[in-house]
Amino acid sequence: MLGTTLETLSEHACFGGVQGFYKHDSSAIGLPMRLGVFRPPHALGGASAPVLIYLAGLTCSEETFAIKAGAQRVAAQLGLMLVTPDTSPRGTGVAGADDSWDFGTAAGFYLDATEAPWAPHWRMESYITQELPALLAQHFPLRGGAIGLCGHSMGGHGALTLALRHPSLYRSVSALAPIAAPMQCPWGVKAFSGYLGADRSTWAAHDATELVKAGARAPHVLIDQGEADKFLAEQLHPHLFEAACAAAGQPLTLRRHAGYDHGYYFIASVIDDHLRHHAAALND
């Protein structure tokens, strides 16, 4: 990672800080990757800042959260750096990568694929957990050991599973309307079948509910879920994750919100609480 070049695509003054978008050649993915970084005001002078990595959902990119969530205002107040990686490799040339919105491009599911033709480039777990922190430490004033993980929908699945699989990496974790039991929903079955193959015994290592049942643990998890979410009954299953956490003693706060759907109006309504949840842990 030493010497990795980071190309600046654009930078924008934002609540006293800077929202930037960048591109670099990824060794994990084998292709260029894009990311967004919001630096709070105090970090512009080189002072270190805790980092919250936000994993976006299906069809999203590194720009979606930065543009839609309105998180920079409170992040600036709390001194949090916000990092938004892309959701998959792009421009792969892989046949079928763009055939559906819930698999392939913009649908990496934050795991390392083992099946052809996805395995060479769909290595999002390695990218998020290994390459990205090193890249951030090289180019930004990252406070050592102070990294949190948050995500929405597919990205909520990513936040939960990566925090459970890599407990030494993340000091805080939260999710918004996550795919909490992917082995038991159509999105997860499609993704796991394609990326990991037909052997379901390999899937549990990437299912937050199954990971908790198997003994994996994470910091206190905060989840917000809208009760008017059209995907709640078929795809998300937070109640299964809640039951697994209760049985295993995994600390969890699951808040349900009447009238709220799956989109960014919901995210914008609750994101401040998530930023404060992470800041409290990362600044402890």
Side-chain angles (χ1 to χ4, degrees):
M1 180 59 63
L2 186 63
T4 299
T5 300
L6 193 67
E7 177 185 350
T8 299
L9 301 176
S10 67
E11 291 186 329
H12 316 273
C14 185
F15 293 105
V18 171
Q19 175 65 57
F21 297 98
Y22 309 95
K23 182 171 73 172
H24 71 101
D25 290 330
S26 168
S27 58
I29 303 296
L31 291 165
M33 289 292 288
R34 296 177 180 237
L35 70 153
V37 178
F38 172 72
R39 286 174 287 161
H42 82 278
L44 299 184
S48 67
V51 173
L52 178 59
I53 298 173
Y54 175 89
L55 306 180
L58 293 164
T59 76
C60 295
S61 74
E62 76 285 351
E63 293 183 318
T64 311
F65 178 80
I67 293 171
K68 292 186 174 183
Q72 294 93 337
R73 177 181 61 83
V74 171
Q77 296 170 2
L78 296 172
L80 280 177
M81 190 183 308
L82 302 177
V83 176
T84 55
D86 204 351
T87 50
S88 81
R90 297 181 189 262
T92 62
V94 172
D98 300 317
D99 287 356
S100 60
W101 65 273
D102 56 357
F103 183 81
T105 302
F109 271 81
Y110 303 104
L111 51 76
D112 287 354
T114 58
E115 296 295 298
W118 315 103
H121 298 304
W122 269 258
R123 295 179 49 78
M124 290 301 294
E125 179 171 8
S126 290
Y127 178 73
I128 297 296
T129 63
Q130 299 175 31
E131 186 169 14
L132 183 61
L135 180 80
L136 295 172
Q138 180 185 338
H139 291 281
F140 299 96
L142 167 63
R143 184 177 300 165
I147 301 178
L149 199 57
C150 177
H152 169 240
S153 193
M154 175 187 72
H157 145 77
L160 295 177
T161 57
L162 295 184
L164 289 163
R165 285 169 58 80
H166 304 274
S168 65
L169 289 182
Y170 304 108
R171 196 181 293 178
S172 58
V173 59
S174 72
L176 305 117
I179 304 172
M183 291 180 67
Q184 301 187 55
C185 77
W187 282 340
V189 170
K190 181 175 183 178
F192 289 178
S193 298
Y195 294 137
L196 302 175
D199 182 1
R200 293 178 66 96
S201 67
T202 66
W203 297 5
H206 302 279
D207 182 307
T209 297
E210 298 304 316
L211 282 165
V212 169
K213 289 179 181 179
R217 295 293 180 268
H220 190 122
V221 177
L222 171 64
I223 293 178
D224 279 295
Q225 175 63 59
E227 292 190 320
D229 189 325
K230 67 180 181 180
F231 301 115
L232 176 57
E234 184 178 26
Q235 302 282 11
L236 304 181
H237 301 315
H239 65 289
L240 298 180
F241 184 70
E242 182 180 36
C245 288
Q250 164 63 45
L252 168 69
T253 299
L254 172 57
R255 309 190 304 183
R256 295 173 169 88
H257 303 267
Y260 284 88
D261 63 20
H262 194 69
Y264 269 82
Y265 296 113
F266 168 58
I267 294 172
S269 298
V270 298
I271 193 62
D272 290 1
D273 287 347
H274 285 251
L275 298 177
R276 295 186 179 99
H277 167 81
H278 288 277
L282 297 174
N283 288 314
D284 186 7

